[in-house]
Amino acid sequence: MSVCAEQMSSSCGSSLLLALPEDIFTIVVGSLTPMDVCTLSLCSKNLNALITSDKVWLAQCESLGIVSSQDLVEWRTGVSSYKTLCKFLWNVKPLMGIWVHQNPELGNVVYVMPGFVSVVGCRIIPQELGPLGMEDGPILWAPVFEIIGDIDGSIAFFLHGRERDCDKLYPGCVKSIDKSCNVLFLEVEPKQRINGGSLAHNKNLAHCNSDRNFSRRICKSDRGHSKSQRVLEKSPVVPFFNLGFGDRRKLLELVADHVRLRAPNLANGLLFPPLRDDGERFQKDVLLMSKRRSLLMKIYKFGEGCNNLQEAHRLPLNPTQMELHKIKKSLGRPNICRGSVSSDESQVSSHKKRVATYFKDRLKFILGKSSPVNGRAVSRNGLSSSESKHSQFQEFLSSADTIGMTLCAKSVKLFTYRAWPNMHDNQFALYKLPTPLPATGQEYAGLWGGTFGWPPGRPTDDKPGKALFFLSLSYEESEGQRILIATKILEGTHYVLHPNGSAMFVAKVDEISSDPFPYNDGASTSVDVKHAYIGDGIANGYGFRYPGSKPGSLFVIQNGLLAFVWKESKAVLTLQRLNLQELLKKGERVYALPPIVNFAYLTKSFSNVFTGFSNTTR
């Protein structure tokens, strides 16, 4: 009896949904998640037929909030359906936002934003604030990577770089994207041929080739591994991150050198659409981006010089892969690191590292931290450190016929201090920086930009060309009080003064400051102070990594600006809220760094490696 009741209830519920007008049905389904919609489509054939409509999946694309409704219409021309487009957006949504690394200390900020049926990682160049200010002056940026969606929703990855004064592209795969990812790794992944034929690729969210696979993926949990994964698991694989830093870098450099593609002129065009100021020009730009995307996907599938699928069958290997025998040949050659700004600097840097490593090893021996046997340190397992490294390196390569470059977005347990994650210095990784949104009681949360100097309208003798700062403002509870922390993520000075992740100031938003705004008296234009809070600001002279602090006040002034004033020196840091995506659309593209370096600049440098780019004259 209960079974019959359940069947009747289910039938009535399905009939009620099917009886709704299409527009009403779309509104109802629009309140569901893509996973719920896919689950609903499995309830009956009639519901499945109704849910495949473009209206339903357009609403799902809009609910993800990645691109505007106008842009979704433009993106639809590049995919087979809105469901396919939703699949792509659902896959890449965790990547959107700000990614950081602590080296170089001047800034390693990569902002991931929508392109055209793609997402683009843009490096914000440390720079001075131009005479036009942040709103009207072009902000400088360089491409780091882009992930492009194909017509079926599958994903292609390109790393950007520049070598020998030419822009290059380095294709690879997207291995996995965790929905709560907070670390983005650049790795090398071994791949194996199945029965001497095609390569065994990991099937994941990035490589689902049909809408049916998409429905199954987001409706069901992972019940096991695919056939290709089981093939790879027959022989244990050494994880890439277990290799030594030198081996990891060597492999990345070798693969990048092998898969390197010359960037066609069209590929150097727009990576994302500009602002919609001129409708006719915007449509021309969209057409160019569409042609660029088609060209890149053809290069990704067939390689350079291959124009169709028939020619692709005669190719020995996927253009994104490198065969093992070529690796062995390359490993026999002297290793010249290509990961610095120029080849001459690379050789000098490599020599300095070898010298530094030698003295570091000798110092460890003197201090008794290692015991050399015939000039080599012995590890606990009885193998010398060089033998252990070599053995692990060979085990990594032995499980594969080919290797390729992969992008992997993982969720890793990170410890933070004042909203800044603790990072590894020797991993090719970027760390996601959560950017809180303004809310009741946390009105000042979010991304802010500014410089040292007084607000507009205040007479000052300050010189033009001040350093541009980006700060992430977030709230925390400390000793029963709410505090507002302004974490520095970018500094545009020639020589760094404040470490990345340091708090430029901390304000106690529950304690009102009685200090007057310093320069209201006698000013031709007074500053309207809305609120004032007690705080502490960063101080020089107390050590670079652990700077001290001195008292000050945070003032909320007119036009939504913030100004932190140091009580003793009367120095002021003036900030305004930023829309980084709009700034980049009005910005100016500059040359990228060499490829592996370009992903996460790991060389600790206190001087600005980007000083060749300046927007003070523009």
Side-chain angles (χ1 to χ4, degrees):
M1 191 71 180
S2 61
V3 174
C4 293
E6 289 180 4
Q7 290 177 347
M8 290 179 62
S9 175
S10 175
S11 176
C12 291
S14 176
S15 299
L16 287 174
L17 286 174
L18 292 171
L20 293 174
E22 185 180 9
D23 291 339
I24 302 299
F25 180 80
T26 300
I27 293 174
V28 172
V29 175
S31 62
L32 304 177
T33 66
M35 182 172 60
D36 294 333
V37 175
C38 287
T39 303
L40 187 61
S41 69
L42 300 176
C43 294
S44 70
K45 290 183 179 180
N46 292 332
L47 277 175
N48 182 56
L50 190 58
I51 283 175
T52 55
S53 72
D54 263 2
K55 281 188 176 182
V56 169
W57 287 103
L58 172 59
Q60 289 299 312
C61 292
E62 291 173 337
S63 68
L64 292 173
I66 298 177
V67 295
S68 66
S69 299
Q70 288 179 301
D71 289 337
L72 286 173
V73 175
E74 304 290 349
W75 285 32
R76 170 64 179 84
T77 60
V79 294
S80 59
S81 65
Y82 275 116
K83 184 177 181 180
T84 299
L85 181 56
C86 184
K87 175 176 68 172
F88 173 76
L89 294 172
W90 187 76
N91 286 338
V92 300
K93 183 177 181 180
L95 301 178
M96 311 300 291
I98 299 175
W99 298 79
V100 295
H101 197 278
Q102 61 192 17
N103 293 329
E105 300 296 341
L106 277 161
N108 210 336
V109 180
V110 176
Y111 183 68
V112 180
M113 61 182 287
F116 178 75
V117 198
S118 66
V119 293
V120 184
C122 305
R123 180 183 307 283
I124 312 300
I125 305 298
Q127 57 201 275
E128 293 177 347
L129 192 64
L132 298 178
M134 278 184 292
E135 293 296 331
D136 298 319
I139 189 171
L140 304 180
W141 61 275
V144 177
F145 66 85
E146 57 184 317
I147 297 173
I148 303 175
D150 200 0
I151 190 170
D152 61 353
S154 59
I155 288 177
F157 166 70
F158 287 96
L159 179 67
H160 284 258
R162 187 171 176 84
E163 299 180 78
R164 304 179 186 91
D165 297 329
C166 294
D167 291 325
K168 306 288 183 180
L169 295 172
Y170 307 82
C173 299
V174 179
K175 184 178 179 182
S176 63
I177 302 176
D178 289 350
K179 291 306 158 188
S180 57
C181 62
N182 56 0
V183 184
L184 199 59
F185 294 99
L186 185 65
E187 299 181 347
V188 166
E189 182 187 21
K191 294 185 183 294
Q192 199 172 43
R193 285 195 177 94
I194 301 176
N195 298 326
S198 60
L199 291 173
H201 293 278
N202 286 337
K203 298 291 182 183
N204 50 58
L205 295 177
H207 296 97
C208 296
N209 291 323
S210 68
D211 290 344
R212 182 176 298 178
N213 285 340
F214 171 58
S215 300
R216 290 174 178 173
R217 285 291 311 180
I218 68 175
C219 290
K220 299 187 295 183
S221 59
D222 188 7
R223 295 179 180 176
H225 298 296
S226 65
K227 180 180 178 181
S228 61
Q229 285 175 313
R230 291 195 295 270
V231 170
L232 289 174
E233 288 173 357
K234 287 181 180 178
S235 57
V237 179
V238 176
F240 180 73
F241 58 82
N242 279 3
L243 297 176
F245 175 72
D247 289 339
R248 282 183 278 129
R249 183 169 190 138
K250 185 187 299 181
L251 280 174
L252 283 169
E253 294 287 352
L254 284 174
V255 173
D257 186 65
H258 176 75
V259 303
R260 177 178 60 221
L261 300 172
R262 178 175 44 85
N265 292 333
L266 185 60
N268 288 329
L270 292 172
L271 273 70
F272 44 80
L275 296 176
R276 292 176 176 265
D277 297 332
D278 186 341
E280 184 177 350
R281 180 182 174 183
F282 181 84
Q283 291 302 321
K284 290 180 179 178
D285 290 337
V286 169
L287 181 61
L288 287 174
M289 286 186 294
S290 179
K291 291 180 178 179
R292 175 185 180 274
R293 171 176 166 268
S294 298
L295 176 62
L296 288 181
M297 289 307 304
K298 182 183 293 185
I299 292 174
Y300 183 83
K301 293 176 182 178
F302 307 138
E304 290 180 305
C306 183
N307 298 316
N308 55 56
L309 191 59
Q310 287 73 25
E311 293 181 12
H313 285 316
R314 295 195 293 270
L315 293 177
L317 187 65
N318 187 314
T320 66
Q321 298 296 307
M322 181 179 182
E323 293 187 3
L324 190 60
H325 69 87
K326 293 183 179 180
I327 301 172
K328 294 177 180 179
K329 286 182 181 179
S330 300
L331 291 177
R333 301 170 189 165
N335 181 36
I336 298 177
C337 180
R338 298 183 296 108
S340 61
V341 178
S342 69
S343 59
D344 293 337
E345 291 176 356
S346 298
Q347 296 178 16
V348 173
S349 175
S350 178
H351 174 71
K352 287 181 178 180
K353 287 179 181 178
R354 288 196 298 269
V355 173
T357 302
Y358 170 78
F359 284 109
K360 184 177 179 181
D361 291 341
R362 297 305 300 168
L363 180 60
K364 285 184 177 179
F365 169 60
I366 293 171
L367 294 176
K369 292 186 177 180
S370 63
S371 302
V373 177
N374 295 328
R376 295 179 294 181
V378 178
S379 61
R380 292 180 180 179
N381 59 10
L383 292 173
S384 69
S385 59
S386 60
E387 287 174 345
S388 178
K389 276 187 176 182
H390 183 71
S391 174
Q392 196 174 34
F393 187 66
Q394 292 302 321
E395 289 174 5
F396 178 81
L397 295 178
S398 65
S399 64
D401 296 313
T402 66
I403 58 174
M405 189 162 52
T406 62
L407 186 73
C408 186
K410 297 180 181 179
S411 179
V412 178
K413 186 176 181 180
L414 294 176
F415 297 98
T416 60
Y417 176 71
R418 287 189 168 177
W420 185 257
N422 294 329
M423 306 177 189
H424 295 281
D425 290 337
N426 62 351
Q427 287 190 354
F428 297 93
L430 294 169
Y431 297 78
K432 194 162 192 180
L433 188 69
T435 305
L437 298 175
T440 303
Q442 299 185 0
E443 290 79 7
Y444 312 119
L447 181 67
W448 294 71
T451 188
F452 279 92
W454 292 103
R458 172 67 211 173
T460 177
D461 295 327
D462 291 339
K463 296 179 180 179
K466 301 173 186 176
L468 173 63
F469 284 82
F470 278 5
L471 305 181
S472 175
L473 270 59
S474 59
Y475 288 79
E476 285 187 8
E477 293 280 340
S478 178
E479 299 178 355
Q481 287 187 323
R482 288 187 308 148
I483 59 174
L484 177 64
I485 303 170
T487 305
K488 182 220 124 179
I489 62 174
L490 185 82
E491 176 181 349
T493 54
H494 292 289
Y495 190 85
V496 66
L497 300 176
H498 314 286
N500 275 353
S502 59
M504 292 298 292
F505 62 82
V506 176
K508 300 176 181 178
V509 293
D510 293 328
E511 295 188 22
I512 305 300
S513 174
S514 58
D515 294 338
F517 197 75
Y519 286 93
N520 262 345
D521 296 337
S524 58
T525 305
S526 62
V527 176
D528 183 16
V529 177
K530 309 292 185 181
H531 304 284
Y533 307 103
I534 294 175
D536 294 293
I538 197 169
N540 297 328
Y542 289 81
F544 178 75
R545 177 54 62 186
Y546 302 102
S549 60
K550 291 187 177 181
S553 296
L554 176 65
F555 295 93
V556 182
I557 55 181
Q558 73 266 28
N559 300 324
L561 300 178
L562 299 180
F564 187 86
V565 181
W566 278 259
K567 192 170 185 177
E568 180 181 334
S569 64
K570 305 302 182 187
V572 60
L573 177 65
T574 304
L575 303 173
Q576 67 182 78
R577 192 180 290 278
L578 296 182
N579 185 327
L580 194 49
Q581 188 167 315
E582 287 191 5
L583 289 179
L584 286 169
K585 287 185 175 183
K586 296 187 295 185
E588 183 173 335
R589 176 177 173 177
V590 299
Y591 295 137
L593 295 172
I596 306 305
V597 173
N598 193 33
F599 184 80
Y601 191 89
L602 298 182
T603 303
K604 184 170 289 187
S605 174
F606 303 125
S607 59
N608 194 341
V609 297
F610 304 99
T611 49
F613 309 124
S614 174
N615 65 350
T616 54
T617 60
R618 295 186 178 89

